[in-house]
Amino acid sequence: MTTVAPAPSPTARPAPRAAGAGLTGTLSLLRLAARRDRVLVPVSAFGLAAFVALSAQATFALFPDLRSAQESMAPTLANPALVAMYGPISSLGIDSIATFKSVLLGGVFLALLAYVVVRRHTRTEEETGRLELLGAGVVGRRAALAAALLLGTAAVLLTVVLTIGWSIGVGLDPAGSVALGVCWLVIGLSWVGVTAVAAQLTSSTRGTAGWSLGALAVAFLVRAVGDTAAADSPARFLSWLSPLGWGVKVSAFGENRYWVAALGIALFAVLVAVAFSLLERRDLGAGVLPSRAGHDRSRIGTAGALTRRLARGTVVGWLVAYVVLGVVLGSIAGSVETFIDSPEVADMLRAMGGDAGSVTDLYFSTELHFAAIGASALSIALVTRMHTEETTTRAEAVLATPVGRVTWALGHVAVAVAASALVLLVSATVAGLVHGADAGDVGGTVARLAGAALSTLPAVWVALAVALLLYGALPRFTGLAWAALIVFLLLGEFGDLLDLPGWLVDLSPFTHLPALPGGTLTWMPLVALTAFAMAVGAAGLVALRRRDIG
């Protein structure tokens, strides 16, 4: 009997994946991400819009007419250091003068917001293991990235809409206000895409920060070189190679080039496509670029040394930025006397920086107070890093050794205190060297500005202590430290200009700083701020010691 074998069946092929299969669960992840950022995004958008509107209001109140504004501001606005820092002014109209500082600077802040939002919901989620947990459910491979991109884009659009509306509301030209929104849209969307790509390239949040913030620094430098080059120099073209340069080229309240938005949208689309392509080429938790191999043996022997090592890159980046800031402040100081030839401008500086000393002293006092706000941001970033270490379970590995919680936390606090003092001191020293060389008194100028910078530290410590208290007592709300800093900025630096009640303005620690250099050093407010910071910080350490980790 002959047996006939059945014909072999053709090899089964996997069914092609539906076009949207990888996006399953995107809306659910978007709702989750929006809920987690329900404070960060609205507060940041409101703060950036207020930055433009309040600055414009202050300028309108300062200059009664366009002629007085042009006579006071035009000579200084052409200063190369000022152009490098804030970009060229689009015109000599009152609206352009009123928004000169806020156009590019606000765009950079919006890029930072986009970076924070996208990184938090992509690479940070992978590093903590939460994305792997979510991926075990009905969630597509591309869903997390898509949700982060949507939320980052929504944050940019919300900020742009609020800024346009508020700008028109305070009396700025509607067409120019829309152009200002286009400028911010170009910059914000560009860094949504840049951060999305950076999150695919590296395997850590720090690596993502290095790539994204490094790209922002390079873009700023390329734009600065192009904007300060001579009119007939080929280097002027460099501004068109930077997304920040595109924002400046919109020329808000000048030529109002709305078409530049197409460049930003095109770059955004390309970067999003690249990010999704890279996502398909890597494993979950890994990056496209290989991680750098470590040493066989580490020379780090204490928790404090580990904290300093992890903070090294952040501190170096801020240090470079503050060196540049010192050069700009010192360069501009030489022309301050010609800039402030009207009593209205002097009154503004007295309201913001104090009421004693020469006009140059008032200028330095105002700018050093703003530099202290930046140093507070650095200290908050370094202190709140403990929350990241905890959520990623790396803190548990450290605390499993004979290292106590308070010791571990004090290591972060020490780094934050030292780093904030270092950047302020370096910036003041550089500004003193630059301005002192012009004034013929390098040593005296450096000493006065260094002392003035150090006098702002108690207010920085208060902001640091608030962040420590939030982390120790309410770790879920650690991000509110940034909202507190924004409130301190608005009350301390703009409260008097807006005629806010005295008791409300006094809530900001920066209100109680002495007007140095040039003013009288009063020790009692500084001692009180220091004591308050120590009490709040101690409360945060006690709360951290009593609660569970993780």
Side-chain angles (χ1 to χ4, degrees), residues 5 28 40 49 52 64 79 102 110 159 182 200 213 228 232 237 252 285 317 356 403 535 537:
S28 298
L40 172 65
V52 174
N79 187 301
S102 55
L110 182 57
T159 305
V182 169
Q200 313 310 313
L213 298 183
T228 55
D232 57 349
F237 182 74
V403 177

Side-chain angles (χ1 to χ4, degrees), residues 366-391:
T366 301
E367 297 300 335
L368 287 176
H369 285 188
F370 278 109
I373 294 286
S376 300
L378 171 60
S379 66
I380 290 174
L382 293 174
V383 168
T384 55
R385 179 169 288 177
M386 289 187 289
H387 184 253
T388 302
E389 296 294 303
E390 181 180 346
T391 55

Side-chain angles (χ1 to χ4, degrees), residues 116-188:
V116 169
V117 171
V118 175
R119 188 190 76 158
R120 181 181 186 185
H121 299 291
T122 52
R123 178 51 60 187
T124 301
E125 292 295 283
E126 287 194 46
E127 195 172 29
T128 57
R130 287 191 291 263
L131 189 56
E132 184 177 6
L133 180 63
L134 291 172
V138 187
V139 175
R141 169 77 163 146
R142 303 179 177 183
L145 177 57
L149 288 169
L150 289 173
L151 183 60
T153 302
V156 171
L157 292 176
L158 175 63
T159 305
V160 168
V161 171
L162 281 178
T163 302
I164 292 175
W166 204 340
S167 298
I168 296 174
V170 299
L172 290 171
D173 175 59
S177 299
V178 174
L180 172 59
V182 169
C183 167
W184 284 16
L185 181 71
V186 168
I187 297 174

Side-chain angles (χ1 to χ4, degrees), residues 477-526:
F477 298 98
T478 302
L480 290 179
W482 296 104
L485 181 61
I486 293 174
V487 172
F488 290 161
L489 169 62
L490 295 178
L491 294 179
E493 301 303 329
F494 297 104
D496 290 336
L497 291 175
L498 299 176
D499 294 326
L500 296 178
W503 64 268
L504 185 61
V505 175
D506 288 341
L507 294 178
S508 171
F510 297 93
T511 302
H512 307 283
L513 295 177
L516 297 178
T520 302
L521 177 60
T522 305
W523 287 100
M524 186 54 65
L526 300 182

Side-chain angles (χ1 to χ4, degrees), residues 234-317:
R236 297 284 292 185
F237 182 74
L238 290 175
S239 296
W240 287 102
L241 301 180
S242 166
L244 298 183
W246 298 347
V248 171
K249 294 299 183 183
V250 172
S251 188
F253 303 104
E255 298 183 34
N256 296 332
R257 301 188 185 101
Y258 303 116
W259 61 266
V260 177
L263 297 177
I265 295 173
L267 178 62
F268 172 69
V270 170
L271 291 174
V272 167
V274 170
F276 278 113
S277 176
L278 294 177
L279 176 66
E280 300 295 337
R281 298 172 182 268
R282 66 177 182 86
D283 294 330
L284 183 67
V288 174
L289 299 178
S291 300
R292 186 177 60 181
H295 298 287
D296 294 336
R297 295 179 61 86
S298 174
R299 292 175 292 180
I300 299 175
T302 64
L306 176 62
T307 300
R308 291 190 296 272
R309 175 63 181 84
L310 294 176
R312 185 175 64 184
T314 301
V315 174
V316 169

Side-chain angles (χ1 to χ4, degrees), residues 62-78:
L62 191 62
F63 298 110
D65 53 58
L66 176 60
R67 181 177 180 181
S68 63
Q70 292 176 340
E71 291 176 350
S72 298
M73 303 277 295
T76 300
L77 295 178

Side-chain angles (χ1 to χ4, degrees), residues 291-366:
S291 300
R292 186 177 60 181
H295 298 287
D296 294 336
R297 295 179 61 86
S298 174
R299 292 175 292 180
I300 299 175
T302 64
L306 176 62
T307 300
R308 291 190 296 272
R309 175 63 181 84
L310 294 176
R312 185 175 64 184
T314 301
V315 174
V316 169
W318 279 79
L319 194 59
V320 172
Y322 266 64
V323 168
V324 175
L325 176 63
V327 172
V328 172
L329 295 182
S331 301
I332 297 174
S335 59
V336 166
E337 294 287 351
T338 58
F339 162 49
I340 308 174
D341 59 354
S342 68
E344 292 87 0
V345 181
D347 290 342
M348 179 192 72
L349 285 182
R350 289 190 176 92
M352 299 179 68
D355 57 359
S358 65
V359 170
T360 303
D361 290 337
L362 293 175
Y363 160 76
F364 275 122
S365 178
T366 301

